[in-house]
């Protein structure tokens, strides 16, 4: 008979077994897999540069996690030893359709959690529905800061920074490299992300260089496709700098239509979300374009085992280097995995009764079960975890909104490839507002606002 073990030793033994085995046997009687709803653009103009790379990343990441091939600290198979199953949904069709599809994922498909959404309008529509249905939902992209600045959620998280970071860092980079800039124009989509991106950029410019003149702001509708009038207005305004947060097919169409008209011959183009187009538009992105990847992603990511892991599995799947949407997907999956396994380890360590005098395996079978959704959420809030992009900290939105640092660089076309040089990095605390302060209030205060 096995002698009684002290609770602390039992807890340690429990945790050791979970970490060593991934607990597949111990969990088998209670749950056999984790079903993940994954939503991204599979059709329409956003699919090519954003949605399809996101899906390819999700599929490759799930395959690698299920095989236990991720580097530490993510080497346990699947999540907590349970294999992942993907249920993939097309994000195309607008917010009303997405709300309907989301309800189907939760109520009929009975997914354990949802990872998804690129469009800010979709995220704004889904967040209150996730709260209503009480389902853990992780936004892997969408830029608007309004999600957690205008509301508070228990079940909704976003594992990438919001777009204020992009606007602030773009302005800092621009003024660092072109301090004599005098005239600025913008072209941004007329919906949440485009409006917020331009508002933050304009406000930051006015704080850091008040004498700069805003000569025009063009706001075509999302998915417009034709930009002749906007190109004429931009050319006629004669700006030194053109700021744009256009993405998806909108950016591709704009670039292809603007180039023959020499729109960028006398000014600097700033593409805050331009990285996915470096390999899609070779020869169409003018030299000297300021480009970002919405974080320390892709060409800006530092070498690490996790970066090499993502690069290798994505190249094997897609044949090219991962772009920033692929990095954003990785951050979401690893964030959930870190929170889930942290909750599971805590549950094992605390569930074994005092003075237990049973076989350790029997104790483990009794004590260990997958954590509840509420236990995962408790660990997810204010979590800090490692990713291919570096450290992600869930420090805004009461622990539901991620922050990271970011980077910008300048393009040059060389030997048929668009390369990025003159890269400058900006730490998280310099380009993100503090907790409890709205982005615009923080910017307009001269970046000095403190939480109330």
């Amino acid at each position: 008979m096995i002698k009684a073990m002290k609770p602390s030793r039992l807890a340690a033994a429990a945790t050791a077994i979970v970490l060593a085995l991934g607990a597949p046997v111990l969990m088998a009687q209670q749950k056999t897999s984790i079903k993940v709803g994954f939503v991204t653009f599979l059709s329409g103009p956003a699919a090519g540069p954003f949605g399809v790379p996101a899906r390819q990343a999700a599929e490759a990441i799930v395959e690698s996690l299920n095989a236990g091939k991720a580097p530490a600290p993510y080497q346990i198979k699947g999540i907590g030893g349970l294999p992942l199953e993907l249920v993939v949904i097309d994000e195309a069709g607008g917010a009303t359709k997405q709300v309907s599809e989301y309800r189907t994922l939760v109520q009929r498909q009975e997914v354990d959690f949802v990872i998804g959404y690129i469009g800010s309008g979709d995220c704004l529509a889904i967040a209150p529905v996730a709260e209503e249905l009480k389902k853990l939902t992780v936004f892997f992209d969408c830029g608007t800061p309004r999600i957690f600045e205008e509301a508070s959620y228990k079940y909704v998280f976003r594992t990438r920074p919001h777009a204020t970071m992009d606007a602030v860092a773009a302005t800092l980079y621009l003024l660092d490299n072109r301090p004599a800039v005098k005239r600025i124009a913008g072209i941004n989509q007329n919906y949440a992300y485009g409006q917020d991106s331009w508002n933050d950029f304009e406000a930051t410019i006015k704080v850091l260089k008040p004498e700069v003149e805003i000569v025009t702001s063009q706001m075509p509708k999302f998915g417009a496709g034709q930009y002749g009038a906007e190109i004429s207005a931009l050319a006629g305004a004669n700006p030194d700098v053109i700021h744009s947060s256009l993405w998806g097919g909108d950016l591709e169409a704009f670039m292809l239509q603007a180039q023959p008209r020499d729109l960028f011959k006398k000014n600097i183009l700033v593409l805050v979300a331009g990285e996915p187009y470096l390999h899609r538009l070779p020869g169409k992105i003018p030299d000297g374009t300021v480009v970002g990847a919405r974080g320390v992603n892709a060409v800006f990511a530092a070498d690490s085992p996790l970066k090499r892991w993502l690069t290798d599995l994505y190249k094997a799947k897609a044949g090219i280097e991962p772009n920033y949407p692929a990095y954003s997907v990785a951050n979401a999956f690893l964030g959930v995995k870190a929170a889930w396994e942290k909750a599971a380890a805590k549950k094992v360590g605390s569930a074994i009764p005092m003075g237990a005098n049973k076989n350790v395996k029997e104790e483990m079978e009794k004590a260990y079960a997958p954590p509840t959704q509420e236990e995962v959420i408790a660990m997810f809030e204010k979590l800090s975890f490692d990713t291919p992009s570096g450290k992600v900290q869930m420090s805004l939105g009461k622990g539901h909104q991620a922050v990271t640092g970011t980077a910008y660089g300048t393009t040059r076309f060389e030997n048929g490839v668009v390369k990025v040089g003159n890269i400058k990095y900006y730490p998280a605390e310099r380009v993100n507002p503090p907790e409890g302060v709205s982005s615009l209030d923080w910017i307009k205060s001269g970046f000095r606002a403190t939480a109330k």
Side-chain angles (χ1 to χ4, degrees), residues 237-292:
N238 193 30
D240 301 322
V241 173
I242 297 176
H243 164 279
S244 182
S245 62
L246 292 178
W247 61 279
D250 286 356
L251 178 57
E252 293 185 336
F254 170 69
M255 295 296 292
L256 293 174
Q257 293 167 36
Q259 282 283 46
R261 297 179 61 177
D262 291 330
L263 178 61
F264 311 120
K265 204 167 188 179
K266 298 180 180 179
N267 55 55
I268 303 164
L269 179 62
V270 177
L271 298 178
V272 297
E275 180 275 329
Y277 306 91
L278 297 181
H279 72 275
R280 291 180 63 86
L281 297 174
K284 301 298 182 181
I285 297 178
D287 285 356
T289 296
V290 174
V291 66

Side-chain angles (χ1 to χ4, degrees), residues 8 17 31 76 151 153 167-168 202 214 217 256 268 281 291 296 320 323 388 396 411 413 416 444:
S8 61
I17 293 173
K31 192 172 181 62
I76 294 174
Y153 298 104
V168 173
E202 182 181 17
I214 306 299
S217 171
L256 293 174
I268 303 164
L281 297 174
V291 66
V296 188
I320 58 175
N323 63 8
L396 297 181
T411 64
F413 187 60
K444 290 178 179 179

Side-chain angles (χ1 to χ4, degrees), residues 334-408:
L334 296 182
V336 176
K337 180 174 171 66
W340 184 294
E341 291 175 356
K342 188 175 180 180
K346 181 177 180 181
K347 191 167 187 174
V348 171
S350 62
I352 298 175
M354 293 287 290
N357 191 25
K358 298 181 179 181
N359 181 280
V360 172
K361 181 179 178 181
E362 292 174 348
E363 286 295 335
M364 287 294 302
E365 289 174 338
K366 177 181 178 181
Y368 187 78
T372 66
Q373 180 175 251
E374 284 65 29
E375 289 168 334
V376 174
I377 287 171
M379 292 297 105
F380 213 156
E381 290 177 346
K382 301 183 180 179
L383 181 68
S384 177
F385 59 100
D386 293 319
T387 76
S389 311
K391 186 74 72 176
V392 171
Q393 297 175 308
M394 305 298 296
S395 60
L396 297 181
K398 299 179 181 178
H400 289 242
Q401 168 64 59
V403 301
T404 70
T406 193
Y408 275 88

Side-chain angles (χ1 to χ4, degrees), residues 111-256:
V111 297
D112 291 288
F113 57 87
V114 176
I115 290 176
Y117 305 102
I118 294 172
S120 289
D122 294 334
C123 287
L124 287 167
I126 291 296
V129 183
E131 205 71 5
E132 172 199 337
L133 299 183
K134 297 180 170 58
K135 181 58 63 176
L136 174 60
T137 300
V138 181
F139 297 149
F140 75 81
D141 199 4
C142 68
T144 179
R146 292 164 48 194
I147 294 168
F148 295 107
E149 291 188 352
E150 295 182 354
S152 179
Y153 298 104
K154 175 180 178 180
Y155 297 93
V156 180
F157 293 80
R158 177 164 51 187
T159 49
R160 62 150 307 108
H162 58 57
T164 296
M165 175 189 74
D166 308 324
V168 173
T171 309
L172 293 171
Y173 185 89
L174 179 65
L175 296 181
D176 283 344
N177 289 277
R178 300 294 181 100
V181 62
K182 295 180 180 179
R183 297 168 59 83
I184 289 181
I187 178 167
N188 300 275
Q189 293 142 317
N190 192 15
Y191 82 116
Y193 171 61
Q195 295 162 1
D196 294 334
S197 181
W198 173 250
N199 289 340
D200 287 347
F201 182 78
E202 182 181 17
T204 304
I205 280 284
K206 288 181 177 178
V207 168
L208 297 179
K209 195 174 176 62
E211 65 272 24
V212 167
E213 180 183 1
I214 306 299
V215 294
T216 186
S217 171
Q218 298 297 307
M219 285 278 177
K221 69 178 182 179
F222 183 84
Q226 296 296 322
Y227 302 97
E230 289 82 5
I231 292 169
S232 295
L234 290 168
N238 193 30
D240 301 322
V241 173
I242 297 176
H243 164 279
S244 182
S245 62
L246 292 178
W247 61 279
D250 286 356
L251 178 57
E252 293 185 336
F254 170 69
M255 295 296 292
L256 293 174

